[in-house]
Amino acid sequence: TTALSIKDLRKVYGNGFEALKGISFEVEEGDFFALLGPNGAGKSTTLGIVSSLVNKTTGKVEVFGHDLDHNATLAKCELGVVPQEFNFNMFEKVEDILTTQAGYYGISAEDAKERAEFYLRKLGLWDKRDQVSRMLSGGMKRRLMIARALMHEPRLLILDEPTAGVDIELRRSMWEFLTELNAEGTTIILTTHYLEEAESLCRNIGIIDHGTIIENTSIRKLLKQL
Ligand code: ADP
Ligand code: ADP
């Protein structure tokens, strides 16, 4: 099964800037895939389009076979999204942020509470469950973003620079968490500009530069070439 299929994807922003020049790549179910490239390459634009936060100009995107143009609702149910910027209600309590999210997906209050507890414990946020999210540290907010993205148990998790500005200790614990999640069957795609991060975590890789995919291979093959 193909988890994500991108064909000839092009994005021209409102100011005329061509951020994606017709990129294509696929990610198979079960993969841990890194979209690697320097700042400004087009990584966030690509994931933004997949998660319906950015409108594409032309091209085709399918999530588990659901075309974003025709079956956006089905595609969204398969997807968990962790954007770079914190976008939750800063005055809502940590646990409520998770149960509210679950409600959007029609998950029962009982299941929502159970799942929230599971992820809060797993991500070391259980002690903070009654605090408003504004009070959390940057690293905690990032973990909360991940927990929220998982509440509806998506088959594909996409994360935009999940460890940017995160200290080394937390980075390692997030890597562990993501590796375990992948081992349990969730397909994961992340963007990063650290080769080291891609190397530690991922199986396959797409390298993007100036809006073009310049390499699409396995980490193993890439490292042999270097
Ligand atoms: P779209 O073409 O998807 O409608 P726009 O070009 O209208 O997007 O821009 C969306 C937002 O991004 C605007 O608020 C704009 O100010 C902001 N923006 C403009 N240039 C940049 C940039 N280089 N990087 C990030 N954001 C930008
Ligand atoms: P990356 O995530 O790889 O750093 P982005 O996808 O954020 O790259 O940006 C790709 C290019 O598109 C950059 O040159 C950026 O300045 C430009 N860009 C991003 N958002 C906008 C926008 N809203 N309007 C105009 N240009 C943008």
Short mmCIF file of all heavy atoms in Angstrom, two decimals, residues 166-206:
data_model
loop_
_atom_site.label_atom_id
_atom_site.label_comp_id
_atom_site.label_asym_id
_atom_site.label_seq_id
_atom_site.Cartn_x
_atom_site.Cartn_y
_atom_site.Cartn_z
N VAL A 166 15.08 21.92 19.94
CA VAL A 166 14.87 21.01 21.06
C VAL A 166 16.23 20.53 21.56
O VAL A 166 17.11 20.22 20.75
CB VAL A 166 14.01 19.82 20.57
CG1 VAL A 166 14.12 18.63 21.50
CG2 VAL A 166 12.55 20.24 20.40
N ASP A 167 16.43 20.48 22.89
CA ASP A 167 17.77 20.09 23.37
C ASP A 167 18.03 18.61 23.12
O ASP A 167 17.12 17.82 22.85
CB ASP A 167 17.97 20.46 24.85
CG ASP A 167 17.09 19.65 25.77
OD1 ASP A 167 17.06 18.41 25.66
OD2 ASP A 167 16.40 20.26 26.62
N ILE A 168 19.28 18.22 23.21
CA ILE A 168 19.72 16.91 22.75
C ILE A 168 19.03 15.77 23.50
O ILE A 168 18.68 14.75 22.92
CB ILE A 168 21.28 16.79 22.84
CG1 ILE A 168 21.78 15.49 22.23
CG2 ILE A 168 21.80 16.94 24.24
CD1 ILE A 168 21.69 15.46 20.74
N GLU A 169 18.79 15.98 24.80
CA GLU A 169 18.18 14.93 25.60
C GLU A 169 16.74 14.67 25.15
O GLU A 169 16.34 13.52 24.93
CB GLU A 169 18.19 15.36 27.07
CG GLU A 169 18.16 14.21 28.03
CD GLU A 169 18.26 14.74 29.46
OE1 GLU A 169 19.06 15.67 29.71
OE2 GLU A 169 17.49 14.24 30.31
N LEU A 170 15.99 15.76 25.00
CA LEU A 170 14.61 15.61 24.55
C LEU A 170 14.57 15.08 23.12
O LEU A 170 13.71 14.27 22.77
CB LEU A 170 13.87 16.95 24.65
CG LEU A 170 12.43 16.92 24.13
CD1 LEU A 170 11.60 15.87 24.85
CD2 LEU A 170 11.79 18.29 24.30
N ARG A 171 15.52 15.53 22.30
CA ARG A 171 15.57 15.05 20.92
C ARG A 171 15.67 13.53 20.90
O ARG A 171 14.94 12.85 20.21
CB ARG A 171 16.77 15.67 20.20
CG ARG A 171 16.91 15.21 18.77
CD ARG A 171 17.99 15.95 18.04
NE ARG A 171 17.72 17.39 18.04
CZ ARG A 171 18.59 18.31 17.66
NH1 ARG A 171 19.79 17.96 17.26
NH2 ARG A 171 18.27 19.58 17.67
N ARG A 172 16.57 13.00 21.73
CA ARG A 172 16.74 11.55 21.79
C ARG A 172 15.47 10.84 22.26
O ARG A 172 15.11 9.79 21.74
CB ARG A 172 17.92 11.17 22.69
CG ARG A 172 19.23 11.53 22.08
CD ARG A 172 20.42 10.78 22.66
NE ARG A 172 21.66 11.35 22.14
CZ ARG A 172 22.06 11.27 20.89
NH1 ARG A 172 21.34 10.61 20.00
NH2 ARG A 172 23.18 11.84 20.49
N SER A 173 14.79 11.41 23.23
CA SER A 173 13.58 10.74 23.72
C SER A 173 12.46 10.83 22.68
O SER A 173 11.67 9.90 22.52
CB SER A 173 13.17 11.26 25.10
OG SER A 173 12.43 12.43 24.99
N MET A 174 12.43 11.93 21.91
CA MET A 174 11.44 12.02 20.82
C MET A 174 11.77 11.01 19.72
O MET A 174 10.87 10.38 19.16
CB MET A 174 11.39 13.44 20.25
CG MET A 174 10.64 14.40 21.17
SD MET A 174 10.75 16.11 20.63
CE MET A 174 9.86 16.04 19.11
N TRP A 175 13.04 10.84 19.44
CA TRP A 175 13.46 9.86 18.43
C TRP A 175 13.00 8.46 18.85
O TRP A 175 12.50 7.69 18.03
CB TRP A 175 14.98 9.88 18.27
CG TRP A 175 15.51 11.05 17.51
CD1 TRP A 175 14.78 12.08 16.99
CD2 TRP A 175 16.88 11.33 17.19
NE1 TRP A 175 15.61 12.97 16.36
CE2 TRP A 175 16.90 12.54 16.47
CE3 TRP A 175 18.08 10.68 17.43
CZ2 TRP A 175 18.08 13.11 15.99
CZ3 TRP A 175 19.26 11.25 16.96
CH2 TRP A 175 19.25 12.45 16.25
N GLU A 176 13.21 8.16 20.13
CA GLU A 176 12.80 6.85 20.65
C GLU A 176 11.30 6.64 20.50
O GLU A 176 10.84 5.59 20.07
CB GLU A 176 13.14 6.75 22.14
CG GLU A 176 14.25 5.78 22.47
CD GLU A 176 14.66 5.93 23.92
OE1 GLU A 176 13.82 5.70 24.81
OE2 GLU A 176 15.83 6.31 24.15
N PHE A 177 10.56 7.67 20.88
CA PHE A 177 9.10 7.60 20.79
C PHE A 177 8.66 7.35 19.35
O PHE A 177 7.83 6.48 19.07
CB PHE A 177 8.48 8.89 21.33
CG PHE A 177 6.99 8.94 21.18
CD1 PHE A 177 6.16 8.29 22.08
CD2 PHE A 177 6.41 9.62 20.11
CE1 PHE A 177 4.78 8.32 21.92
CE2 PHE A 177 5.04 9.65 19.94
CZ PHE A 177 4.23 9.00 20.86
N LEU A 178 9.23 8.10 18.41
CA LEU A 178 8.83 7.98 17.01
C LEU A 178 9.24 6.62 16.44
O LEU A 178 8.50 6.02 15.66
CB LEU A 178 9.44 9.12 16.18
CG LEU A 178 8.90 10.52 16.52
CD1 LEU A 178 9.67 11.59 15.75
CD2 LEU A 178 7.40 10.63 16.21
N THR A 179 10.42 6.14 16.83
CA THR A 179 10.88 4.83 16.36
C THR A 179 9.93 3.74 16.81
O THR A 179 9.56 2.84 16.04
CB THR A 179 12.31 4.55 16.89
OG1 THR A 179 13.17 5.59 16.43
CG2 THR A 179 12.83 3.21 16.40
N GLU A 180 9.47 3.83 18.05
CA GLU A 180 8.55 2.83 18.60
C GLU A 180 7.20 2.90 17.88
O GLU A 180 6.62 1.88 17.51
CB GLU A 180 8.37 3.11 20.10
CG GLU A 180 7.71 1.97 20.86
CD GLU A 180 7.49 2.35 22.32
OE1 GLU A 180 8.38 3.00 22.92
OE2 GLU A 180 6.42 2.01 22.85
N LEU A 181 6.74 4.12 17.66
CA LEU A 181 5.46 4.32 16.97
C LEU A 181 5.52 3.71 15.56
O LEU A 181 4.58 3.04 15.12
CB LEU A 181 5.18 5.83 16.89
CG LEU A 181 3.82 6.26 16.41
CD1 LEU A 181 2.76 5.94 17.46
CD2 LEU A 181 3.81 7.76 16.11
N ASN A 182 6.64 3.93 14.89
CA ASN A 182 6.83 3.37 13.55
C ASN A 182 6.88 1.84 13.60
O ASN A 182 6.27 1.15 12.77
CB ASN A 182 8.11 3.96 12.93
CG ASN A 182 8.42 3.36 11.57
OD1 ASN A 182 9.42 2.67 11.40
ND2 ASN A 182 7.55 3.59 10.59
N ALA A 183 7.58 1.31 14.60
CA ALA A 183 7.69 -0.15 14.74
C ALA A 183 6.32 -0.78 14.96
O ALA A 183 6.07 -1.91 14.56
CB ALA A 183 8.63 -0.50 15.89
N GLU A 184 5.42 -0.02 15.59
CA GLU A 184 4.06 -0.52 15.83
C GLU A 184 3.16 -0.34 14.61
O GLU A 184 1.98 -0.69 14.66
CB GLU A 184 3.45 0.20 17.05
CG GLU A 184 4.06 -0.28 18.36
CD GLU A 184 3.78 0.65 19.53
OE1 GLU A 184 3.12 1.70 19.33
OE2 GLU A 184 4.24 0.33 20.64
N GLY A 185 3.71 0.24 13.54
CA GLY A 185 2.96 0.25 12.28
C GLY A 185 2.59 1.60 11.70
O GLY A 185 2.09 1.68 10.59
N THR A 186 2.81 2.69 12.44
CA THR A 186 2.47 4.01 11.90
C THR A 186 3.54 4.44 10.89
O THR A 186 4.73 4.38 11.18
CB THR A 186 2.37 5.06 13.03
OG1 THR A 186 1.44 4.60 14.01
CG2 THR A 186 1.92 6.41 12.50
N THR A 187 3.09 4.86 9.72
CA THR A 187 4.00 5.41 8.72
C THR A 187 4.36 6.83 9.16
O THR A 187 3.48 7.58 9.58
CB THR A 187 3.31 5.47 7.35
OG1 THR A 187 2.75 4.18 7.06
CG2 THR A 187 4.26 5.87 6.25
N ILE A 188 5.63 7.18 9.07
CA ILE A 188 6.05 8.51 9.54
C ILE A 188 6.84 9.22 8.45
O ILE A 188 7.71 8.63 7.81
CB ILE A 188 6.90 8.43 10.83
CG1 ILE A 188 6.10 7.73 11.94
CG2 ILE A 188 7.34 9.83 11.26
CD1 ILE A 188 6.84 7.60 13.26
N ILE A 189 6.50 10.50 8.25
CA ILE A 189 7.27 11.36 7.34
C ILE A 189 7.66 12.59 8.13
O ILE A 189 6.81 13.22 8.76
CB ILE A 189 6.42 11.80 6.14
CG1 ILE A 189 5.91 10.57 5.36
CG2 ILE A 189 7.23 12.72 5.22
CD1 ILE A 189 4.99 10.92 4.20
N LEU A 190 8.93 12.92 8.13
CA LEU A 190 9.32 14.17 8.77
C LEU A 190 10.23 14.98 7.87
O LEU A 190 10.87 14.44 6.97
CB LEU A 190 9.95 13.92 10.14
CG LEU A 190 11.18 13.03 10.30
CD1 LEU A 190 12.45 13.73 9.85
CD2 LEU A 190 11.31 12.63 11.77
N THR A 191 10.24 16.28 8.11
CA THR A 191 11.20 17.12 7.42
C THR A 191 12.31 17.44 8.41
O THR A 191 12.09 17.50 9.62
CB THR A 191 10.61 18.47 6.95
OG1 THR A 191 10.32 19.27 8.10
CG2 THR A 191 9.35 18.27 6.15
N THR A 192 13.49 17.59 7.88
CA THR A 192 14.62 17.95 8.74
C THR A 192 15.70 18.56 7.87
O THR A 192 15.75 18.34 6.67
CB THR A 192 15.16 16.72 9.50
OG1 THR A 192 16.22 17.13 10.36
CG2 THR A 192 15.67 15.64 8.56
N HIS A 193 16.54 19.39 8.50
CA HIS A 193 17.74 19.79 7.75
C HIS A 193 18.99 19.17 8.38
O HIS A 193 20.10 19.51 8.02
CB HIS A 193 17.85 21.30 7.55
CG HIS A 193 17.76 22.10 8.79
ND1 HIS A 193 16.57 22.62 9.25
CD2 HIS A 193 18.70 22.46 9.69
CE1 HIS A 193 16.79 23.27 10.37
NE2 HIS A 193 18.07 23.19 10.67
N TYR A 194 18.76 18.24 9.36
CA TYR A 194 19.89 17.52 9.92
C TYR A 194 20.00 16.14 9.25
O TYR A 194 19.11 15.31 9.44
CB TYR A 194 19.70 17.24 11.41
CG TYR A 194 19.48 18.43 12.29
CD1 TYR A 194 18.27 18.60 12.94
CD2 TYR A 194 20.50 19.36 12.50
CE1 TYR A 194 18.06 19.68 13.79
CE2 TYR A 194 20.29 20.43 13.34
CZ TYR A 194 19.07 20.59 13.98
OH TYR A 194 18.86 21.64 14.81
N LEU A 195 21.10 15.90 8.54
CA LEU A 195 21.32 14.56 7.98
C LEU A 195 21.37 13.53 9.11
O LEU A 195 20.86 12.42 9.00
CB LEU A 195 22.61 14.52 7.15
CG LEU A 195 22.96 13.15 6.55
CD1 LEU A 195 21.86 12.64 5.63
CD2 LEU A 195 24.29 13.19 5.81
N GLU A 196 21.95 13.95 10.24
CA GLU A 196 22.09 13.05 11.39
C GLU A 196 20.72 12.52 11.86
O GLU A 196 20.58 11.36 12.21
CB GLU A 196 22.79 13.78 12.54
CG GLU A 196 23.23 12.87 13.66
CD GLU A 196 23.12 13.53 15.04
OE1 GLU A 196 23.08 14.77 15.10
OE2 GLU A 196 23.05 12.78 16.02
N GLU A 197 19.73 13.41 11.84
CA GLU A 197 18.39 13.01 12.28
C GLU A 197 17.80 11.98 11.31
O GLU A 197 17.25 10.96 11.73
CB GLU A 197 17.48 14.23 12.39
CG GLU A 197 16.08 13.89 12.84
CD GLU A 197 15.39 15.07 13.52
OE1 GLU A 197 15.59 15.24 14.74
OE2 GLU A 197 14.68 15.83 12.84
N ALA A 198 17.94 12.26 10.04
CA ALA A 198 17.44 11.33 9.02
C ALA A 198 18.14 9.99 9.15
O ALA A 198 17.52 8.92 9.09
CB ALA A 198 17.65 11.93 7.64
N GLU A 199 19.45 10.05 9.37
CA GLU A 199 20.27 8.85 9.48
C GLU A 199 19.86 8.00 10.69
O GLU A 199 19.79 6.78 10.59
CB GLU A 199 21.71 9.32 9.68
CG GLU A 199 22.77 8.46 9.09
CD GLU A 199 24.14 9.04 9.45
OE1 GLU A 199 24.40 10.22 9.16
OE2 GLU A 199 24.92 8.28 10.04
N SER A 200 19.59 8.64 11.81
CA SER A 200 19.25 7.90 13.03
C SER A 200 17.89 7.25 12.96
O SER A 200 17.63 6.26 13.61
CB SER A 200 19.25 8.81 14.25
OG SER A 200 20.36 9.62 14.25
N LEU A 201 16.98 7.88 12.21
CA LEU A 201 15.58 7.48 12.32
C LEU A 201 15.03 6.78 11.09
O LEU A 201 14.22 5.87 11.22
CB LEU A 201 14.72 8.74 12.50
CG LEU A 201 14.72 9.41 13.86
CD1 LEU A 201 13.91 10.69 13.77
CD2 LEU A 201 14.13 8.48 14.91
N CYS A 202 15.44 7.23 9.92
CA CYS A 202 14.64 6.95 8.74
C CYS A 202 15.19 5.81 7.90
O CYS A 202 16.35 5.45 7.99
CB CYS A 202 14.55 8.21 7.89
SG CYS A 202 13.83 9.55 8.84
N ARG A 203 14.32 5.26 7.10
CA ARG A 203 14.70 4.20 6.18
C ARG A 203 14.93 4.79 4.79
O ARG A 203 15.89 4.51 4.14
CB ARG A 203 13.56 3.17 6.13
CG ARG A 203 14.01 1.73 5.99
CD ARG A 203 12.88 0.79 6.42
NE ARG A 203 12.54 0.94 7.82
CZ ARG A 203 11.31 1.09 8.30
NH1 ARG A 203 10.27 1.11 7.50
NH2 ARG A 203 11.11 1.23 9.59
N ASN A 204 14.01 5.62 4.36
CA ASN A 204 14.10 6.22 3.03
C ASN A 204 14.09 7.73 3.12
O ASN A 204 13.64 8.31 4.11
CB ASN A 204 12.95 5.71 2.15
CG ASN A 204 13.11 4.25 1.81
OD1 ASN A 204 14.12 3.85 1.24
ND2 ASN A 204 12.14 3.43 2.19
N ILE A 205 14.56 8.34 2.04
CA ILE A 205 14.83 9.76 2.12
C ILE A 205 14.57 10.42 0.77
O ILE A 205 14.81 9.82 -0.28
CB ILE A 205 16.31 9.93 2.56
CG1 ILE A 205 16.60 11.34 2.95
CG2 ILE A 205 17.27 9.49 1.47
CD1 ILE A 205 17.95 11.45 3.61
N GLY A 206 14.03 11.62 0.82
CA GLY A 206 13.95 12.46 -0.37
C GLY A 206 14.73 13.72 -0.07
O GLY A 206 14.53 14.32 0.98
#
